[in-house]
Amino acid sequence: MDTQSSPSTGTPSPLLIVIAGPPGVGKDSVLARMRELGKPYHFIVTATTRRQRESERDGTDYIFKTTEQFRRMIDQEELLEWAEVYGNLYGVPRSQIAEALSTGRDVIVKPDVQGAATIKRLAPDALPIFLAPPDMDELARRLTARMTESTEDLSLRLATAESEMQEADSFDYVVVNRRGNLDDAVEEIDRIVSKERHRTPPRRVSL
């Protein structure tokens, strides 16, 4: 699929915006705030085999699948990218992206850092944004406060977060998500998107 600007109207091509970052950085919170504010993006819902948390809604926060169901999606090439993270499978449904882009809407996907690299390889004109914590101490506090992992899992996530922070330079933009300042992160993402809409030459997403 190739989305291009219309020569008759000059309408810019829709953007495929990839927001990734280390575990605990607040990707879900930032995207939830975007939805609350009515931002005009199409938010892709990630499929996962991870256990559903009490606060999460199936089909809104994630599409929860059994391992068998997820493997079937892989076999049928329904996922743009997928990865195993902490023993669970995560994937980005291809059809959601194609349908939203075909209507001219900017699309936001929320993969992990390795998934973002895969999407960038498959769609070089995607717009990768790295969501970062103000520092590693703050990230550790957020992960600890969340209390959804065992001590062993928490240690693994912290180690992964430190490793993934090294990948920030491979992204086109870095947005710092500071505690209590979700709106600042949202506004920075909006500024980036607005800038990219006027980029020359424009980004043209092919899937």
Side-chain angles (χ1 to χ4, degrees):
M1 172 186 175
D2 186 16
T3 59
Q4 301 183 8
S5 59
S6 167
S8 60
T9 65
T11 303
S13 303
L15 297 172
L16 175 56
I17 305 156
V18 182
I19 297 180
V25 75
K27 296 184 293 293
D28 289 335
S29 297
V30 169
L31 267 60
R33 183 59 177 154
M34 286 181 160
R35 292 189 185 97
E36 289 174 5
L37 294 172
K39 298 297 181 179
Y41 303 112
H42 179 84
F43 300 91
I44 298 299
V45 183
T46 301
T48 183
T49 60
R50 175 174 67 68
R51 180 178 58 83
Q52 183 176 353
R53 295 170 184 153
E54 290 186 4
S55 62
E56 293 174 330
R57 292 178 294 170
D58 187 19
T60 299
D61 297 294
Y62 287 92
I63 301 170
F64 293 96
K65 297 287 187 180
T66 64
T67 299
E68 181 181 356
Q69 290 171 331
F70 196 99
R71 292 291 182 189
R72 191 176 304 122
M73 293 177 74
I74 295 172
D75 292 341
Q76 296 175 355
E77 299 184 347
E78 296 178 12
L79 301 173
L80 176 62
E81 68 84 22
W82 66 274
E84 183 172 349
V85 184
Y86 311 119
N88 298 305
L89 300 171
Y90 293 81
V92 177
R94 185 187 299 270
S95 62
Q96 285 189 47
I97 297 175
E99 290 169 7
L101 290 176
S102 69
T103 65
R105 298 180 68 187
D106 294 329
V107 174
I108 291 182
V109 296
K110 182 200 64 176
D112 69 328
V113 171
Q114 62 177 306
T118 299
I119 292 174
K120 184 65 175 176
R121 187 167 60 252
L122 296 173
D125 270 359
L127 170 57
I129 300 173
F130 189 89
L131 193 64
D135 53 58
M136 288 304 299
D137 288 341
E138 173 60 23
L139 186 62
R141 283 192 291 271
R142 293 180 192 180
L143 283 171
T144 302
R146 198 163 68 180
M147 298 291 288
T148 57
E149 289 90 20
S150 65
T151 301
E152 182 179 347
D153 287 343
L154 178 60
S155 297
L156 176 60
R157 286 179 182 266
L158 285 170
T160 300
E162 290 184 6
S163 174
E164 291 185 343
M165 285 296 294
Q166 306 304 312
E167 301 299 320
D169 288 344
S170 67
F171 285 69
D172 290 9
Y173 297 92
V174 176
V175 172
V176 177
N177 183 27
R178 294 179 172 83
R179 178 186 290 271
N181 289 280
L182 278 179
D183 285 356
D184 288 347
V186 170
E187 289 174 7
E188 180 62 20
I189 292 170
D190 279 344
R191 281 194 291 269
I192 291 169
V193 171
S194 178
K195 174 183 176 181
E196 288 291 331
R197 286 201 185 102
H198 298 91
R199 169 178 166 149
T200 303
R203 294 178 186 265
R204 292 179 175 174
V205 179
S206 296
L207 297 179

